[in-house]
Every structure is written in C-alpha cells, then in structure tokens.
Amino acid sequence: MALLVVEGLRTHFPTRAGVVPAVDDVSLTIERGETLALVGESGSGKSVTALSIMGLVSPPGRIVAGRISFAGRELRTPAEAAALRGSHMAMIFQDPMTSLNPVFTVGEQIAEALRRHKGLSSRQAWQQAVEALASVAIPDPARRARQYPHEMSGGMRQRVMIAMALSCNPQLLIADEPTTALDVTIQAQILELIAVQQRERNLGVLLITHDLGVVAQVAHRAAVMYAGRIVETAPVEILFSRPQHPYTQGLLASVPRLGRQEARLPTIEGVVPKLTALPPGCAFAPRCPEARPECRQGELALKVLDAQQGHAVRCVRR
C-alpha cells in the first residue's frame, strides 16, 4: 500500500478576475522510503499541491475535486488532514525566518510541538527538543535550544525546521524549496541531512523544487508541473535521459552544462499563461515548437508510456 495517494486533485481560488485553477487534475503516489520531486516554475501549483495535502489551503481557496489518501485512510476534509499533521505528516517551508516565531526560543517551539502531538510533560518535551536538534547535527544543542531564530544563520534555522518537522516521527515529510535561500555548500548539507533522516526513518518525502540539479541528486521519481497540471512523471533516470514532453525537454535543455559551447543557453519562448485565461487543450501549446491543431482541442489526459516504469506524459504527440 502506498503511503500517499493523490487522485484528480483540483484546488481553486475565486478572484475578481475569475477562478484560478491553481491545482488542476493532479495525481501522484509516494511510497515509504521514496523521494518524489515535484518540479516546475514559480506559480505552477507545486506549493498549493503540498498545502492541499496538508489541509492548509487558506480561504477562499478550497479543494473542489479529487481524493487524498494517507496510509490507506482517505482525508475527506481539512480537519481530517489536521489530525495527522505533525504526528504522521510534516512540512518544511522554504523560509524558516518567517515560519519560526521570533519571540520564542527554538527549543520552546520544538517542545510545544512535542507537548501537543505526543502529550509529553514540559521537562520531557524540552529534553526531546534538545535531542531533536542533536539529530540534525546542530552543535551544542542544549545551548542552541535557548537561542532565538534571529541568532542563527539561515542554514542553522533550516536545520531547526527539519528537527521540528521530524520531532514527532512522521511517516511523510513535505519539503517546500528547503534550500532556496541557502548557498551551495549549505544546500548540499541540508539535502544530505534530509536524505540521511529519510534512510534512518524510512520516510516518504515530497520534495518541491525548481532546481533540476537537486532533483538529479536526491529524488527517485519526478513529476513536472506546468500551469497547475502534471505534464510528465517518470523515474529520475528516465526523465533526464528520455524526456517526452516538450516542456520537460525545454527545462532540461536550459540547464548549463560544462563543456557546452553554445553562445547562449536555449530558452523556452513565450510566457506562462494566466491561470484565469488558460488556452483550450494543452496549456503549453502556445509556447510549444511541436504544437498541432489537435493540441488546442479538449482535455488532455496523462498518457501512460511505460506502466512498469511509471512513465506518463500529457501530450498528444507521444
């Protein structure tokens, strides 16, 4: 049984300009011990997908269709998802400075999560908070636990967020751009830390990123999003060696490579369409060099290319 199953998820936000289908027919699965990378440009719907799974979509946004199941249990309402947050599934946000409370020490914030979800006494919660900081390789954790977020570096704050997320031993970890604001050296340390914790705890991980280098380094499978929809999903090795969707091909072609002699990097022409005015058919068609008339007609479903490998693409030409 898969740890997380999402089927046909649709999350909409009503606005004065019209309804924004931020997540439109998204389906994915995550097994225990597996890392699934959700890849795409800013605004493609990656973070809203994660918030939908966690039951954290703020009004007026709401899930209008689809099914989310965790460890065989269907989550029909945000309240059912809330009952699992912390103790069964946890999320790391991309900016720890805005996620951590500036007026409480980091130890107090981790201890509060432990008291709430595990029913520990204040003394027990504090002790386990210090142990949680030690588990993510924070030096002198007893002293660091008494520090406030502003007294720590960005990399150290991100380690605190990981410690807090894992303190109650969840089965699923959602990491939303966990290395965006960090330099390359610290980024590698954070990714390695998440990988180590995953192996030790057999965690299922949903990694949200726009960095294909990160995907290649840590993910087992990847799903590429564009304009609220998954356009291709495959094991990482297949996605990088045999991408099928023109958007995926464009993303991979735009990555700088050592030894490549082109005067300038290839680019994807045009811009992402407004979600309130999506073109008919494939949303990528106006930018696609391979577009046909049939690309602009009707709904396009994910087409399974290799069921055994789990490779599927949303394209009429494949």
Side-chain angles (χ1 to χ4, degrees):
M1 180 190 299
L3 178 63
L4 178 73
V5 178
V6 178
E7 297 177 329
L9 180 66
R10 299 178 189 269
T11 303
H12 291 181
F13 291 80
T15 70
R16 292 180 180 177
V19 174
V20 175
V23 176
D24 191 12
D25 191 27
V26 165
S27 298
L28 53 87
T29 62
I30 300 176
E31 304 287 345
R32 289 173 172 82
E34 178 186 45
T35 297
L36 172 68
L38 198 55
V39 187
E41 300 172 68
S42 296
S44 62
K46 306 184 302 296
S47 294
V48 178
T49 298
L51 293 173
S52 300
I53 294 169
M54 295 292 289
L56 291 173
V57 176
S58 299
R62 65 189 185 95
I63 297 173
V64 298
R67 175 175 170 266
I68 301 171
S69 295
F70 179 84
R73 173 181 173 182
E74 187 169 353
L75 308 181
R76 296 182 178 86
T77 65
E80 292 183 3
L84 300 180
R85 281 201 304 267
S87 56
H88 292 83
M89 53 186 187
M91 187 167 176
I92 304 169
F93 296 92
Q94 59 181 294
D95 185 359
M97 198 58 190
T98 58
S99 302
L100 293 168
N101 193 319
V103 301
F104 292 99
T105 66
V106 297
E108 289 174 318
Q109 295 182 61
I110 298 174
E112 170 62 21
L114 287 162
R115 287 195 299 269
R116 175 172 298 183
H117 296 295
K118 298 182 72 173
L120 301 181
S121 67
S122 295
R123 182 184 294 274
Q124 291 171 326
W126 180 264
Q127 183 176 348
Q128 288 198 19
V130 173
E131 292 173 359
L133 293 176
S135 73
V136 295
I138 289 181
D140 197 0
R143 180 177 66 86
R144 289 289 191 176
R146 293 180 171 81
Q147 291 186 326
Y148 293 87
H150 72 272
E151 298 180 281
M152 295 182 163
S153 66
M156 198 68 74
R157 287 194 293 266
Q158 195 61 281
R159 287 175 183 267
V160 170
M161 289 297 298
I162 295 171
M164 186 181 300
L166 298 180
S167 62
C168 296
N169 297 313
Q171 298 164 272
L172 173 69
L173 177 67
I174 299 177
D176 187 0
E177 302 274 11
T179 60
T180 295
L182 305 177
D183 63 52
V184 175
T185 303
I186 303 301
Q187 171 180 293
Q189 293 175 1
I190 295 299
L191 292 174
E192 177 61 22
L193 173 60
I194 293 174
V196 168
Q197 294 294 325
Q198 178 186 39
R199 290 193 296 269
E200 291 180 352
R201 301 167 185 257
N202 199 31
L203 281 169
V205 176
L206 176 61
L207 176 66
I208 297 171
T209 183
H210 63 272
D211 190 331
L212 292 171
V214 169
V215 175
Q217 180 180 347
V218 303
H220 300 100
R221 291 188 299 118
V224 181
M225 287 194 75
Y226 183 81
R229 288 189 163 189
I230 291 177
V231 295
E232 186 166 5
T233 180
V236 167
E237 297 83 359
I238 292 177
L239 192 79
F240 277 72
S241 62
R242 301 195 302 276
Q244 294 300 306
H245 197 280
Y247 177 63
T248 310
Q249 294 170 350
L251 287 180
L252 291 169
S254 66
V255 176
R257 289 180 175 84
L258 291 175
R260 189 157 65 180
Q261 301 299 318
E262 290 94 340
R264 57 183 297 177
L265 287 172
T267 60
I268 300 174
E269 299 296 329
V271 296
V272 179
K274 291 183 178 180
L275 292 181
T276 52
L278 289 172
C282 177
F284 187 65
R287 306 174 68 187
C288 181
E290 302 179 36
R292 299 173 174 178
E294 57 264 36
C295 296
R296 297 177 171 85
Q297 299 171 5
E299 291 284 325
L300 298 181
L302 272 174
K303 184 188 302 180
V304 177
L305 303 181
D306 188 329
Q308 185 175 3
Q309 295 285 353
H311 191 184
V313 64
R314 198 184 297 267
C315 182
V316 299
R317 298 202 62 180
R318 302 298 187 265

